[in-house]
Amino acid sequence: MSYQRILVSTDGSLHAERTLNRVISLAAATGAVIILLHVIDPEQTEGRLGPVAHEELIDRVYSEARALLHPAERRAEAHGVQLIGECVAA
């Protein structure tokens, strides 16, 4: 079986990391590109802060989410696999 792209979601949990390891192996064997998706829920902070502080918090959440993807990108690269990391808001 041949795959061109494999979409994987992550929340940074141990289970997600184990899944990603298996997907990296599969992508290495098939030549697929991994698209790693981390979904951010900005509504978790809405209403608790003023608009400026809320925007700063959202920026921090996005920054932390992107930082979550960097180790995965390095692991994939070490196995010769292209990984595209994306953070999106729900």
Side-chain angles (χ1 to χ4, degrees), residues 10-56:
T10 186
D11 59 3
S13 68
L14 182 58
H15 182 72
E17 292 300 311
R18 288 180 181 157
T19 299
L20 181 60
N21 288 337
R22 289 181 180 212
V23 170
I24 288 172
S25 295
L26 178 62
T30 62
V33 173
I34 299 171
I35 301 169
L36 184 61
L37 182 67
H38 182 73
V39 179
I40 299 165
D41 185 4
E43 290 184 13
Q44 290 180 354
T45 60
E46 249 177 48
R48 289 188 257 170
L49 304 166
V52 173
H54 180 70
E55 289 301 317
E56 290 174 6

Short mmCIF file of all heavy atoms in Angstrom, two decimals, residues 10-56:
data_model
loop_
_atom_site.label_atom_id
_atom_site.label_comp_id
_atom_site.label_asym_id
_atom_site.label_seq_id
_atom_site.Cartn_x
_atom_site.Cartn_y
_atom_site.Cartn_z
N THR A 10 -2.34 15.90 17.03
CA THR A 10 -1.59 15.73 18.27
C THR A 10 -2.08 16.70 19.33
O THR A 10 -2.51 17.81 19.02
CB THR A 10 -0.07 15.91 18.06
OG1 THR A 10 0.59 15.58 19.28
CG2 THR A 10 0.28 17.32 17.64
N ASP A 11 -2.02 16.24 20.56
CA ASP A 11 -2.30 17.12 21.71
C ASP A 11 -1.10 17.15 22.64
O ASP A 11 -1.16 17.70 23.72
CB ASP A 11 -3.55 16.65 22.45
CG ASP A 11 -3.44 15.23 22.98
OD1 ASP A 11 -2.36 14.61 22.83
OD2 ASP A 11 -4.42 14.73 23.54
N GLY A 12 0.00 16.54 22.20
CA GLY A 12 1.21 16.52 23.01
C GLY A 12 1.24 15.43 24.06
O GLY A 12 2.21 15.31 24.80
N SER A 13 0.21 14.60 24.11
CA SER A 13 0.15 13.54 25.11
C SER A 13 1.09 12.39 24.73
O SER A 13 1.56 12.28 23.60
CB SER A 13 -1.28 13.00 25.23
OG SER A 13 -1.65 12.33 24.04
N LEU A 14 1.33 11.52 25.69
CA LEU A 14 2.17 10.35 25.45
C LEU A 14 1.56 9.47 24.37
O LEU A 14 2.26 8.94 23.50
CB LEU A 14 2.36 9.57 26.75
CG LEU A 14 3.25 8.34 26.68
CD1 LEU A 14 4.64 8.69 26.17
CD2 LEU A 14 3.34 7.67 28.04
N HIS A 15 0.24 9.30 24.40
CA HIS A 15 -0.44 8.49 23.39
C HIS A 15 -0.22 9.09 21.99
O HIS A 15 0.06 8.36 21.03
CB HIS A 15 -1.93 8.40 23.71
CG HIS A 15 -2.69 7.56 22.74
ND1 HIS A 15 -2.57 6.20 22.69
CD2 HIS A 15 -3.58 7.90 21.77
CE1 HIS A 15 -3.35 5.72 21.73
NE2 HIS A 15 -3.97 6.74 21.16
N ALA A 16 -0.34 10.40 21.87
CA ALA A 16 -0.13 11.06 20.58
C ALA A 16 1.31 10.89 20.11
O ALA A 16 1.55 10.69 18.92
CB ALA A 16 -0.49 12.54 20.68
N GLU A 17 2.26 10.96 21.03
CA GLU A 17 3.67 10.78 20.67
C GLU A 17 3.93 9.36 20.18
O GLU A 17 4.66 9.15 19.22
CB GLU A 17 4.57 11.10 21.86
CG GLU A 17 4.57 12.57 22.24
CD GLU A 17 5.05 13.45 21.10
OE1 GLU A 17 6.12 13.16 20.53
OE2 GLU A 17 4.36 14.43 20.79
N ARG A 18 3.33 8.37 20.84
CA ARG A 18 3.49 6.99 20.40
C ARG A 18 2.89 6.78 19.02
O ARG A 18 3.47 6.09 18.17
CB ARG A 18 2.84 6.04 21.40
CG ARG A 18 3.60 5.92 22.68
CD ARG A 18 2.92 4.98 23.63
NE ARG A 18 3.65 4.89 24.89
CZ ARG A 18 3.11 4.52 26.02
NH1 ARG A 18 1.82 4.19 26.07
NH2 ARG A 18 3.84 4.47 27.11
N THR A 19 1.74 7.38 18.80
CA THR A 19 1.09 7.28 17.49
C THR A 19 1.97 7.91 16.42
O THR A 19 2.15 7.34 15.33
CB THR A 19 -0.29 7.97 17.52
OG1 THR A 19 -1.11 7.31 18.48
CG2 THR A 19 -0.96 7.93 16.15
N LEU A 20 2.53 9.08 16.72
CA LEU A 20 3.38 9.75 15.75
C LEU A 20 4.60 8.89 15.42
O LEU A 20 5.01 8.84 14.25
CB LEU A 20 3.81 11.12 16.27
CG LEU A 20 4.70 11.92 15.32
CD1 LEU A 20 3.99 12.17 13.99
CD2 LEU A 20 5.12 13.22 15.97
N ASN A 21 5.18 8.22 16.40
CA ASN A 21 6.32 7.34 16.11
C ASN A 21 5.95 6.26 15.10
O ASN A 21 6.72 5.96 14.19
CB ASN A 21 6.84 6.70 17.40
CG ASN A 21 7.57 7.70 18.27
OD1 ASN A 21 8.07 8.71 17.80
ND2 ASN A 21 7.63 7.41 19.56
N ARG A 22 4.77 5.69 15.25
CA ARG A 22 4.32 4.66 14.30
C ARG A 22 4.08 5.27 12.91
O ARG A 22 4.39 4.66 11.89
CB ARG A 22 3.06 3.98 14.81
CG ARG A 22 3.33 3.11 15.99
CD ARG A 22 2.08 2.42 16.47
NE ARG A 22 2.40 1.59 17.61
CZ ARG A 22 1.80 0.47 17.89
NH1 ARG A 22 0.84 0.04 17.11
NH2 ARG A 22 2.14 -0.23 18.94
N VAL A 23 3.52 6.46 12.90
CA VAL A 23 3.25 7.13 11.62
C VAL A 23 4.56 7.49 10.92
O VAL A 23 4.66 7.37 9.70
CB VAL A 23 2.35 8.36 11.82
CG1 VAL A 23 2.25 9.20 10.56
CG2 VAL A 23 0.96 7.93 12.27
N ILE A 24 5.56 7.91 11.68
CA ILE A 24 6.86 8.21 11.08
C ILE A 24 7.43 6.95 10.43
O ILE A 24 7.95 7.00 9.30
CB ILE A 24 7.84 8.79 12.12
CG1 ILE A 24 7.42 10.23 12.49
CG2 ILE A 24 9.28 8.77 11.60
CD1 ILE A 24 8.19 10.82 13.65
N SER A 25 7.31 5.82 11.09
CA SER A 25 7.78 4.55 10.50
C SER A 25 7.02 4.23 9.22
O SER A 25 7.62 3.82 8.22
CB SER A 25 7.63 3.42 11.50
OG SER A 25 8.45 3.61 12.62
N LEU A 26 5.71 4.41 9.26
CA LEU A 26 4.89 4.14 8.07
C LEU A 26 5.27 5.08 6.94
O LEU A 26 5.42 4.66 5.78
CB LEU A 26 3.41 4.29 8.41
CG LEU A 26 2.42 4.08 7.27
CD1 LEU A 26 2.51 2.67 6.71
CD2 LEU A 26 1.01 4.39 7.74
N ALA A 27 5.45 6.36 7.24
CA ALA A 27 5.81 7.34 6.21
C ALA A 27 7.19 7.04 5.63
O ALA A 27 7.41 7.18 4.42
CB ALA A 27 5.76 8.75 6.79
N ALA A 28 8.12 6.62 6.48
CA ALA A 28 9.45 6.28 5.99
C ALA A 28 9.39 5.10 5.03
O ALA A 28 10.10 5.06 4.03
CB ALA A 28 10.38 5.97 7.17
N ALA A 29 8.52 4.15 5.32
CA ALA A 29 8.40 2.96 4.47
C ALA A 29 7.67 3.23 3.16
O ALA A 29 7.91 2.54 2.17
CB ALA A 29 7.67 1.85 5.24
N THR A 30 6.79 4.24 3.15
CA THR A 30 5.96 4.48 1.97
C THR A 30 6.32 5.75 1.21
O THR A 30 5.80 5.99 0.13
CB THR A 30 4.47 4.57 2.36
OG1 THR A 30 4.29 5.68 3.24
CG2 THR A 30 3.99 3.29 3.00
N GLY A 31 7.19 6.58 1.80
CA GLY A 31 7.55 7.83 1.14
C GLY A 31 6.51 8.92 1.32
O GLY A 31 6.53 9.93 0.61
N ALA A 32 5.62 8.75 2.27
CA ALA A 32 4.55 9.73 2.50
C ALA A 32 5.06 10.95 3.26
O ALA A 32 6.04 10.89 3.99
CB ALA A 32 3.40 9.09 3.27
N VAL A 33 4.35 12.04 3.08
CA VAL A 33 4.57 13.26 3.84
C VAL A 33 3.58 13.25 5.00
O VAL A 33 2.40 12.92 4.81
CB VAL A 33 4.33 14.51 2.96
CG1 VAL A 33 4.38 15.79 3.79
CG2 VAL A 33 5.34 14.56 1.83
N ILE A 34 4.04 13.61 6.19
CA ILE A 34 3.15 13.68 7.35
C ILE A 34 2.68 15.12 7.53
O ILE A 34 3.49 16.05 7.50
CB ILE A 34 3.86 13.23 8.63
CG1 ILE A 34 4.30 11.77 8.51
CG2 ILE A 34 2.97 13.43 9.86
CD1 ILE A 34 5.19 11.31 9.66
N ILE A 35 1.40 15.28 7.72
CA ILE A 35 0.84 16.58 8.10
C ILE A 35 0.39 16.43 9.54
O ILE A 35 -0.53 15.67 9.83
CB ILE A 35 -0.32 16.98 7.18
CG1 ILE A 35 0.17 17.05 5.74
CG2 ILE A 35 -0.91 18.32 7.64
CD1 ILE A 35 -0.92 17.18 4.71
N LEU A 36 1.09 17.12 10.43
CA LEU A 36 0.81 17.03 11.86
C LEU A 36 -0.02 18.24 12.27
O LEU A 36 0.41 19.38 12.10
CB LEU A 36 2.11 16.98 12.65
CG LEU A 36 2.00 16.80 14.15
CD1 LEU A 36 1.31 15.46 14.50
CD2 LEU A 36 3.37 16.87 14.80
N LEU A 37 -1.17 17.99 12.81
CA LEU A 37 -2.14 19.04 13.12
C LEU A 37 -2.35 19.14 14.62
O LEU A 37 -2.60 18.15 15.29
CB LEU A 37 -3.47 18.72 12.43
CG LEU A 37 -4.60 19.71 12.58
CD1 LEU A 37 -4.26 21.01 11.88
CD2 LEU A 37 -5.88 19.12 12.01
N HIS A 38 -2.23 20.36 15.13
CA HIS A 38 -2.54 20.64 16.53
C HIS A 38 -3.65 21.69 16.54
O HIS A 38 -3.48 22.78 16.00
CB HIS A 38 -1.32 21.14 17.28
CG HIS A 38 -1.58 21.41 18.72
ND1 HIS A 38 -1.76 20.38 19.64
CD2 HIS A 38 -1.73 22.55 19.41
CE1 HIS A 38 -1.99 20.91 20.83
NE2 HIS A 38 -1.98 22.22 20.72
N VAL A 39 -4.79 21.35 17.12
CA VAL A 39 -5.94 22.25 17.16
C VAL A 39 -5.96 22.99 18.49
O VAL A 39 -5.86 22.38 19.55
CB VAL A 39 -7.26 21.48 16.95
CG1 VAL A 39 -8.45 22.43 17.02
CG2 VAL A 39 -7.24 20.74 15.62
N ILE A 40 -6.11 24.30 18.39
CA ILE A 40 -6.15 25.16 19.56
C ILE A 40 -7.58 25.65 19.74
O ILE A 40 -8.24 26.04 18.77
CB ILE A 40 -5.22 26.37 19.36
CG1 ILE A 40 -3.79 25.88 19.17
CG2 ILE A 40 -5.32 27.35 20.52
CD1 ILE A 40 -2.88 26.93 18.62
N ASP A 41 -8.06 25.63 20.98
CA ASP A 41 -9.40 26.11 21.28
C ASP A 41 -9.32 27.46 21.98
O ASP A 41 -9.18 27.51 23.21
CB ASP A 41 -10.14 25.10 22.14
CG ASP A 41 -11.59 25.49 22.40
OD1 ASP A 41 -12.04 26.51 21.84
OD2 ASP A 41 -12.26 24.77 23.15
N PRO A 42 -9.41 28.57 21.23
CA PRO A 42 -9.29 29.88 21.86
C PRO A 42 -10.44 30.21 22.81
O PRO A 42 -10.31 31.06 23.68
CB PRO A 42 -9.27 30.86 20.68
CG PRO A 42 -9.52 30.09 19.46
CD PRO A 42 -9.55 28.64 19.81
N GLU A 43 -11.54 29.52 22.70
CA GLU A 43 -12.69 29.79 23.57
C GLU A 43 -12.41 29.41 25.02
O GLU A 43 -13.12 29.85 25.91
CB GLU A 43 -13.92 29.07 23.05
CG GLU A 43 -14.43 29.65 21.75
CD GLU A 43 -15.72 29.00 21.30
OE1 GLU A 43 -16.34 28.27 22.10
OE2 GLU A 43 -16.09 29.21 20.14
N GLN A 44 -11.40 28.62 25.26
CA GLN A 44 -11.07 28.25 26.64
C GLN A 44 -10.66 29.45 27.47
O GLN A 44 -10.76 29.42 28.68
CB GLN A 44 -9.94 27.22 26.65
CG GLN A 44 -10.35 25.88 26.12
CD GLN A 44 -9.20 24.90 26.15
OE1 GLN A 44 -8.06 25.24 26.44
NE2 GLN A 44 -9.49 23.65 25.82
N THR A 45 -10.19 30.51 26.83
CA THR A 45 -9.75 31.69 27.57
C THR A 45 -10.70 32.87 27.41
O THR A 45 -10.55 33.86 28.11
CB THR A 45 -8.36 32.12 27.08
OG1 THR A 45 -8.42 32.42 25.69
CG2 THR A 45 -7.34 31.04 27.33
N GLU A 46 -11.65 32.78 26.50
CA GLU A 46 -12.56 33.90 26.25
C GLU A 46 -13.35 34.28 27.48
O GLU A 46 -13.79 33.44 28.24
CB GLU A 46 -13.53 33.53 25.12
CG GLU A 46 -13.27 34.31 23.87
CD GLU A 46 -14.20 33.88 22.75
OE1 GLU A 46 -15.41 33.78 22.96
OE2 GLU A 46 -13.66 33.65 21.67
N GLY A 47 -13.55 35.57 27.66
CA GLY A 47 -14.38 36.06 28.74
C GLY A 47 -13.67 36.24 30.06
O GLY A 47 -14.18 36.88 30.95
N ARG A 48 -12.49 35.68 30.21
CA ARG A 48 -11.78 35.79 31.48
C ARG A 48 -10.80 36.96 31.50
O ARG A 48 -10.34 37.35 32.55
CB ARG A 48 -11.00 34.50 31.75
CG ARG A 48 -11.92 33.35 32.09
CD ARG A 48 -11.12 32.18 32.54
NE ARG A 48 -11.06 31.24 31.44
CZ ARG A 48 -10.30 30.19 31.39
NH1 ARG A 48 -9.49 29.92 32.37
NH2 ARG A 48 -10.32 29.39 30.37
N LEU A 49 -10.50 37.48 30.33
CA LEU A 49 -9.51 38.54 30.23
C LEU A 49 -10.05 39.66 29.35
O LEU A 49 -10.96 39.46 28.56
CB LEU A 49 -8.22 38.00 29.59
CG LEU A 49 -7.59 36.81 30.29
CD1 LEU A 49 -6.56 36.19 29.38
CD2 LEU A 49 -6.96 37.23 31.59
N GLY A 50 -9.44 40.82 29.46
CA GLY A 50 -9.79 41.91 28.56
C GLY A 50 -9.29 41.59 27.16
O GLY A 50 -8.50 40.66 26.96
N PRO A 51 -9.73 42.36 26.15
CA PRO A 51 -9.38 42.04 24.76
C PRO A 51 -7.87 42.02 24.48
O PRO A 51 -7.40 41.15 23.77
CB PRO A 51 -10.06 43.11 23.94
CG PRO A 51 -10.78 44.00 24.88
CD PRO A 51 -10.59 43.51 26.27
N VAL A 52 -7.11 42.96 25.05
CA VAL A 52 -5.67 42.99 24.78
C VAL A 52 -4.99 41.80 25.44
O VAL A 52 -4.20 41.09 24.81
CB VAL A 52 -5.05 44.32 25.28
CG1 VAL A 52 -3.54 44.27 25.17
CG2 VAL A 52 -5.62 45.49 24.50
N ALA A 53 -5.31 41.55 26.70
CA ALA A 53 -4.71 40.42 27.40
C ALA A 53 -5.11 39.11 26.72
O ALA A 53 -4.31 38.18 26.64
CB ALA A 53 -5.12 40.41 28.87
N HIS A 54 -6.33 39.04 26.25
CA HIS A 54 -6.80 37.84 25.56
C HIS A 54 -5.97 37.58 24.30
O HIS A 54 -5.56 36.45 24.05
CB HIS A 54 -8.29 37.96 25.22
CG HIS A 54 -8.83 36.77 24.50
ND1 HIS A 54 -9.00 35.56 25.13
CD2 HIS A 54 -9.21 36.59 23.21
CE1 HIS A 54 -9.48 34.69 24.26
NE2 HIS A 54 -9.61 35.29 23.09
N GLU A 55 -5.72 38.63 23.52
CA GLU A 55 -4.92 38.47 22.31
C GLU A 55 -3.50 38.03 22.65
O GLU A 55 -2.93 37.20 21.96
CB GLU A 55 -4.88 39.78 21.50
CG GLU A 55 -6.20 40.11 20.84
CD GLU A 55 -6.66 39.01 19.88
OE1 GLU A 55 -5.83 38.47 19.12
OE2 GLU A 55 -7.86 38.67 19.93
N GLU A 56 -2.94 38.58 23.71
CA GLU A 56 -1.60 38.17 24.13
C GLU A 56 -1.59 36.70 24.55
O GLU A 56 -0.65 35.96 24.25
CB GLU A 56 -1.11 39.04 25.28
CG GLU A 56 -0.80 40.46 24.87
CD GLU A 56 -0.46 41.36 26.04
OE1 GLU A 56 -0.36 40.86 27.18
OE2 GLU A 56 -0.30 42.57 25.81
#
